[in-house]
Amino acid sequence: MRIRITALALAAAGALLTAAPAEAAHQSGLHIGLVQFDSPGKDTRSNASLNAEWVNIHNNTKSAVQLKGYKLKDNTGYTYTFGSYRIGAGKTVKVRTGKGKNVPGTVYWNRGSYVWNNTGDKARLLTPTGSPRDSCSWGKTGNGQQNCH
């Protein structure tokens, strides 16, 4: 009986150790936050509708990060590559699908069509060398948003 309880306790501890690093890595550092994959209202392909589709990238570190060369990709292969953009410690940058002028806190993909599939997709954040930094998947949900924290 004692051996069985010890084995169960060890198995449970191993499961916790396996799950904790992935969760901690996703929460810390540079990561995908909230995704608005289905712009509210009817999909009209107007610039306003395209810009209502976006992905937040959050810097949860104690120092600024230069995003030049980082990439944001979907399952189809559509890719946004950051130009020179410095995201401050604890700050978020919103990547909007449509056209606009980049300002602090918001950059524009400058596309004329939607990127994120409403029925399911995966946003991937890649480093300038192409290494995966973070990802977030979703299926169809009621409000068209996915919280990736």
Side-chain angles (χ1 to χ4, degrees), residues 66-87:
Q66 177 53 254
L67 294 179
K68 185 174 185 175
Y70 273 81
K71 293 175 177 16
L72 183 62
K73 294 180 90 165
D74 78 332
N75 275 342
T76 307
Y78 294 126
T79 304
Y80 173 80
T81 303
F82 278 90
S84 184
Y85 187 90
R86 187 173 180 255
I87 183 172

Side-chain angles (χ1 to χ4, degrees), residues 86-100:
R86 187 173 180 255
I87 183 172
K91 299 295 183 180
T92 299
V93 60
K94 185 172 289 195
V95 181
R96 294 188 181 270
T97 299
K99 297 175 181 167

Side-chain angles (χ1 to χ4, degrees), residues 45-51 53 72 74 76-80 95-100 107-116:
R45 289 183 63 163
S46 69
N47 196 51
S49 180
L50 290 167
N51 280 330
E53 180 184 85
L72 183 62
D74 78 332
T76 307
Y78 294 126
T79 304
Y80 173 80
V95 181
R96 294 188 181 270
T97 299
K99 297 175 181 167
V107 296
Y108 293 86
W109 202 316
N110 290 317
R111 290 186 48 85
S113 59
Y114 299 99
V115 172
W116 309 109

